[in-house]
């Protein structure tokens, strides 16, 4: 009975959550390696922030809002600012 009770309190992500995450990361990978890396890290940070809020509030929360909001915002930021800058630096032979 204790095992069933602890199983019911575990954190669960639905298949839809993983589909949306993979679609965003896949689109970012098509845009460029900088966008891909940033989206991947930001989605993980959004999941972590959701897990922290879940532990603090002790009530069910949706998994998508933080990760997708951060992911889409940083995707566009990276695609329109960082990817062109990285491409320019590679083509001009500038290395940091």
């Amino acid at each position: 009975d204790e095992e069933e009770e602890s199983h019911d309190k575990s954190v669960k992500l639905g298949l839809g959550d993983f589909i949306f995450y993979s679609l965003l990361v896949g689109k970012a990978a098509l845009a460029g390696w900088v966008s891909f890396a940033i989206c991947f890290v930001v989605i993980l940070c959004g999941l972590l922030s959701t897990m922290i809020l879940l532990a603090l509030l002790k009530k069910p929360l949706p998994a998508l809002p933080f990760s997708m909001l951060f992911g889409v915002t940083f995707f566009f930021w990276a695609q329109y600012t960082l990817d062109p800058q990285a491409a320019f630096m590679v083509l001009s032979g500038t290395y940091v």
Side-chain angles (χ1 to χ4, degrees):
D1 190 38
E2 285 182 27
E3 185 176 319
E4 288 179 18
E5 188 176 308
S6 67
H7 181 66
D8 291 338
K9 293 181 182 179
S10 65
V11 177
K12 298 175 185 130
L13 287 176
L15 183 61
D17 298 329
F18 290 111
I19 289 173
F20 281 109
Y21 297 148
S22 64
L23 284 173
L24 180 59
V25 171
K27 178 65 176 172
L30 291 174
W33 63 271
V34 175
S35 296
F36 165 75
I38 287 178
C39 280
F40 183 77
V41 170
V42 167
I43 285 175
L44 290 178
C45 290
L47 273 173
L48 181 65
S49 65
T50 301
M51 296 300 168
I52 290 171
L53 278 175
L54 185 67
L56 292 175
L57 299 177
K58 297 190 188 322
K59 65 179 191 176
L61 295 172
L64 282 176
F66 290 125
S67 295
M68 292 307 287
L69 177 69
F70 295 154
V72 170
T73 302
F74 279 87
F75 167 70
F76 284 114
W77 175 68
Q79 184 178 7
Y80 293 114
T81 60
L82 295 179
D83 273 340
Q85 183 179 2
F88 173 76
M89 290 173 67
V90 167
L91 291 175
S92 67
T94 307
Y95 297 100
V96 179

